[in-house]
Amino acid sequence: MKITGAVSIKKPLTGLTLNELSILVNQLGMPSFTAGQISDWLYKKKILSIDEMTNLSLHYREKLKENFTIGRINYSHIQKSVDGTFKYLFTVAGNKSIETVFIPEKKRATVCISTQVGCKMNCLFCMTGKQKFSAHLSASEILNQILSLPENEQLTNYVFMGMGEPLDNESGLFKALEILTAGYGLALSPKRITVSTVGILPELKRLLDETRCHVAISLNSPYHEERLSLMPVEKVYPAKEIADLVKRYDFSHQRRISFEYILFGGMNDDRRHARDLALFLSGIPCRVNLIKYHSIPGVNLPETILENMIPFRDYLSSHGIISTIRTSRGEDISAACGMLSGF
Ligand code: SF4
């Protein structure tokens, strides 16, 4: 990170790792221990202005303010669902918008975080996929969705399942995960974080090697051709290779792997699919989340019915795979799975 006197747009401090803060304070001629003080203000005390860093001298605070801001941005719009789900619109660089969803439940409070504006993956069933990809979110913009969420203090679970493919934004995601879990950062247990992915293999391997976060793989079919028709990424990273990779890791203890399976009526919700899904997943200690497809404009895919979902779930459960029908939340405000668009 290079800091020059000619910087006209101030940069956010939120999103900097402790290592980056150390380089920064060094460049500004500040004592090295101030890096830890700054991370403490940013991620533990969650302050909103550099002036609040009262254990830094006035001189150092003024120096920081010349080129930096805290980087916290409030949401610009809010929608509330009849089921209590909230959808927040945040403005990010380039005057673009992203959506973040807060899902309160009896014993949990979950934030669904976005990592990109639009998405390159173009999954047939997804509104975000219909938008052209336009930007990766920075670690600062990813963390702001958590830190500036009005319900921040209630949060128990953090899921990277919003707009974008998290593993396609390697730099933003891994920095955000470090800051969320590091002792100098938010110090969250990785067990409270789930990263959902279509399965970009090199970055999935990195996620499995370098973090202890839970992983959710978007599968949607046990068959190559059918998954390919729903998810173009199958051509490059086939589900078979994803299964081969995850079989090399231990998911029998604290860390969980789950497979997301969106059900389409009369297409992938019958007994044959349930049987072959169970066969496909054999040897992986995993869970399956069954998700009802929500119709989106311009896409001719059929919705399933609960009468098909229940026997599908029961078949998997009776074959040793813990399966749950995920309750749709926020459908009336287009906050449910696959419906986020940033508009
Ligand atoms: S489902 Fe996820 S990966 Fe696929 S297009 Fe939508 S946001 Fe991208």
Side-chain angles (χ1 to χ4, degrees):
M1 179 179 43
K2 186 149 175 56
I3 297 146
T4 68
V7 177
S8 55
I9 298 171
K10 293 187 180 183
K11 294 178 182 170
L13 289 171
T14 298
L16 296 183
T17 62
L18 187 59
N19 192 35
E20 289 172 325
L21 286 170
S22 299
I23 296 169
L24 169 67
V25 298
N26 188 17
Q27 287 182 340
L28 293 179
M30 296 159 66
S32 54
F33 63 81
T34 48
Q37 291 177 317
I38 295 172
S39 68
D40 203 57
W41 287 113
L42 295 174
Y43 306 127
K44 302 229 185 300
K45 301 192 177 82
K46 301 175 185 172
I47 54 160
L48 296 173
S49 82
I50 291 173
D51 289 325
E52 292 174 71
M53 296 183 181
T54 47
N55 57 0
L56 265 62
S57 73
L58 189 59
H59 172 69
Y60 288 146
R61 278 182 263 159
E62 291 303 322
K63 231 173 171 173
L64 275 177
K65 279 159 63 179
E66 282 170 20
N67 289 320
F68 291 90
T69 62
I70 294 292
R72 292 277 298 278
I73 298 163
N74 269 335
Y75 63 85
S76 55
H77 190 65
I78 178 173
Q79 278 180 283
K80 185 179 181 188
S81 162
V82 289
D83 66 21
T85 300
F86 286 89
K87 186 168 79 169
Y88 294 99
L89 199 73
F90 286 100
T91 303
V92 293
N95 219 16
K96 296 179 167 68
S97 298
I98 49 123
E99 292 177 336
T100 307
V101 181
F102 172 67
I103 309 155
E105 292 167 280
K106 267 192 197 132
K107 292 187 180 163
R108 302 197 314 179
T110 303
V111 60
C112 181
I113 304 151
S114 294
T115 51
Q116 295 178 317
V117 185
C119 184
K120 295 179 209 160
M121 299 301 133
N122 205 17
C123 301
L124 187 60
F125 46 81
C126 174
M127 265 311 271
T128 313
K130 304 286 155 241
Q131 281 181 262
K132 282 204 169 71
F133 168 81
S134 55
H136 293 300
L137 299 191
S138 64
S140 172
E141 290 164 335
I142 293 173
L143 292 170
N144 185 60
Q145 296 169 67
I146 297 166
L147 294 167
S148 295
L149 197 78
E151 299 83 1
N152 172 269
E153 293 302 327
Q154 301 170 34
L155 291 174
T156 59
N157 293 70
Y158 304 75
V159 298
F160 287 83
M161 294 186 184
M163 294 168 62
E165 162 54 49
L167 292 181
D168 187 41
N169 179 6
E170 193 178 1
S171 136
L173 176 75
F174 281 94
K175 258 170 76 169
L177 290 179
E178 176 184 325
I179 293 164
L180 286 174
T181 54
Y184 72 81
L186 277 79
L188 299 176
S189 162
K191 285 184 286 180
R192 294 167 69 182
I193 301 171
T194 302
V195 178
S196 174
T197 175
V198 294
I200 299 177
L201 281 170
E203 286 75 22
L204 176 58
K205 184 171 185 318
R206 181 176 169 198
L207 183 75
L208 293 167
D209 286 337
E210 293 183 14
T211 79
R212 299 295 304 154
C213 299
H214 298 317
V215 179
I217 307 284
S218 178
L219 185 61
N220 307 317
S221 173
Y223 309 121
H224 173 72
E225 290 301 329
E226 190 174 60
R227 187 171 189 257
L228 184 60
S229 71
L230 293 166
M231 304 173 68
V233 73
E234 169 75 9
K235 193 171 182 180
V236 191
Y237 299 121
K240 168 82 176 61
E241 290 182 23
I242 298 169
D244 289 345
L245 174 72
V246 300
K247 277 178 188 164
R248 304 211 298 262
Y249 292 82
D250 180 11
F251 294 103
S252 59
H253 294 96
Q254 296 284 322
R255 186 182 221 181
R256 272 203 318 264
I257 184 160
S258 53
F259 288 83
E260 312 282 314
Y261 192 97
I262 303 176
L263 289 139
F264 304 96
M267 195 178 139
N268 69 348
D269 62 348
D270 55 13
R271 191 179 171 89
R272 178 176 68 94
H273 278 79
R275 181 198 66 203
D276 290 336
L277 180 61
L279 283 173
F280 182 84
L281 297 174
S282 63
I284 307 173
C286 63
R287 296 162 187 242
V288 171
N289 290 320
L290 301 171
I291 303 158
K292 185 177 176 292
Y293 168 65
H294 305 285
S295 288
I296 56 169
V299 176
N300 189 21
L301 283 169
E303 291 192 5
T304 191
I305 49 174
L306 197 60
E307 287 73 15
N308 289 356
M309 296 181 85
I310 291 170
F312 199 99
R313 177 200 61 194
D314 292 346
Y315 182 93
L316 292 175
S317 299
S318 67
H319 286 75
I321 298 171
I322 303 165
S323 310
T324 43
I325 294 174
R326 181 124 44 86
T327 318
S328 288
R329 297 291 302 265
E331 195 174 346
D332 57 317
I333 55 166
S334 295
C337 202
M339 298 178 92
L340 299 181
S341 70
F343 293 104

